[in-house]
Amino acid sequence: MGKKKMTILDFKKYKEEGRKFTYVTAYDYTTASIVNESECEVILVGDSLAMIMLGYDSTVGVTMEDMIHHIKPVVKGAPDTFIVGDMPFGSYNVSIEQAISNGNRLLKETGCDCVKLEGGIEMAKTIEAMVKAGIPVMGHIGLTPQTATSLGGFKVQGSTPESARKIIEDAKALEAAGVFSIVLECVPSVVGKAVTEAVEVPILGIGAGPHVDCQVLVTQDLLGMYGDFKPKFVKQFAQIRKAMVDGLNAFHRETLSGEFPSKEYCFNKEVDIPKLY
Ligand code: KIV
């Protein structure tokens, strides 16, 4: 295993050096261990587990307990990969005290390396207090799935000069509040470029074009595993769903034909079976 785990300081260093990196999701031990074996540098245990793992329609129903349950095995499975724990909807929007308390919980109970939460200028005070309390925070602006309903649904953000300006202001406010990096989701490439140039912390883009510092994708999307929906910005680099269905059908076929299990898959020791029937 030749991978060296990234640190918080590496995020800014990579940007300064113009070194791109990648950021993918995992929600379980096996997937985390596969990502750990790859060259990908960062794992998000995202609240997208709502749709990908739990079959929900949105991320809103995910709880702190769900997140903790899924982050723990990922931390175990990926010791050489920087791990981000997503704060679920309702876990940081009540008060600054609530945000600090739940941020502490995610770090202490799971061993993840930082927390991520959604929101721009309106979250800056909360983030500043969390960072002052010692919690490393990654921001998330542009399309924010937890509040997508208020944004008019899962739509490209920053398509007008005013909304593009607001996203740049959000990024600057989060940087001033102390985040060490910012996820920027679903914006035109020119907005991705402008935001990347406007701040010193790295911009981790998902559907934000080629000019950002890091590319983010949901692992189950990029490997062609999740079948319900494919956003425009997702490139499928493998067809794992098809490979899994083909494998399951081969198991089914060989079971019915008697080809499986052949001798090599059986315990072939002879035993004198007492006549009990
Ligand atoms: O939960 C998630 O997967 C995310 C990504 C869309 C960045 O927040």
Side-chain angles (χ1 to χ4, degrees):
M1 181 66 284
K3 194 158 91 176
K4 187 167 172 294
K5 181 169 171 164
M6 259 180 108
T7 66
I8 295 258
L9 297 182
D10 287 331
F11 279 76
K12 208 161 174 192
K13 186 161 158 258
Y14 279 24
K15 177 163 186 154
E16 283 161 9
E17 292 172 352
R19 174 172 168 183
K20 298 234 176 194
F21 57 105
T22 54
Y23 180 15
V24 298
T25 56
Y27 316 103
D28 65 278
Y29 176 83
T30 300
T31 310
S33 71
I34 293 169
V35 176
N36 198 58
E37 212 173 301
S38 79
E39 307 282 334
C40 293
E41 293 88 346
V42 184
I43 289 179
L44 169 66
V45 189
D47 61 357
S48 51
L49 71 85
M51 285 85 101
I52 309 279
M53 291 284 118
L54 307 176
Y56 296 174
D57 291 332
S58 87
T59 58
V60 172
V62 172
T63 63
M64 279 292 291
E65 280 63 36
D66 291 330
M67 292 311 305
I68 289 166
H69 179 74
H70 285 268
I71 299 170
K72 275 184 179 173
V74 171
V75 169
K76 185 126 194 270
D80 309 306
T81 312
F82 188 93
I83 294 170
V84 182
D86 224 357
M87 295 194 66
F89 181 69
S91 70
Y92 56 91
N93 60 1
V94 174
S95 65
I96 287 179
E97 290 69 26
Q98 183 217 22
I100 293 177
S101 159
N102 281 324
N104 284 343
R105 248 194 103 185
L106 274 198
L107 295 181
K108 282 162 72 94
E109 293 184 32
T110 70
C112 65
D113 297 297
C114 77
V115 303
K116 173 171 87 61
L117 57 87
E118 296 182 6
I121 293 170
E122 71 286 359
M123 287 311 301
K125 277 206 158 53
T126 302
I127 291 173
E128 191 178 351
M130 293 173 79
V131 173
K132 279 200 178 124
I135 301 169
V137 179
M138 174 181 284
H140 184 156
I141 57 174
L143 176 65
T144 44
Q146 291 177 4
T147 45
T149 315
S150 329
L151 300 173
F154 284 82
K155 294 205 293 209
V156 178
Q157 303 295 305
S159 300
T160 62
E162 302 74 49
S163 59
R165 184 196 169 103
K166 160 79 167 74
I167 292 174
I168 295 168
E169 285 170 358
D170 281 340
K172 287 186 161 176
L174 293 195
E175 180 173 52
V179 299
F180 69 94
S181 56
I182 301 172
V183 170
L184 175 61
E185 182 165 353
C186 217
V187 297
S189 301
V190 285
V191 176
K193 183 168 189 287
V195 176
T196 303
E197 288 170 359
V199 292
E200 285 176 16
V201 294
I203 296 300
L204 323 169
I206 173 161
H211 309 291
V212 293
D213 302 297
C214 163
Q215 291 292 333
V216 186
L217 281 177
V218 167
T219 297
Q220 287 73 6
D221 284 341
L222 81 92
L223 294 182
M225 287 171 81
Y226 182 65
D228 289 5
F229 174 66
K230 188 185 93 56
K232 173 182 163 61
F233 56 78
V234 169
K235 176 172 179 181
Q236 290 180 335
F237 292 84
Q239 295 300 330
I240 300 302
R241 187 183 185 90
K242 182 173 180 323
M244 287 175 85
V245 173
D246 288 349
L248 290 165
N249 283 339
F251 168 57
H252 183 258
R253 198 170 50 246
E254 290 192 18
T255 297
L256 268 56
S257 72
E259 193 182 334
F260 178 82
S262 55
K263 265 195 145 183
E264 63 187 305
Y265 299 105
C266 298
F267 302 102
N268 299 309
K269 194 173 186 306
E270 289 306 330
V271 180
D272 263 341
I273 307 292
K275 193 91 188 120
L276 297 177
Y277 55 94

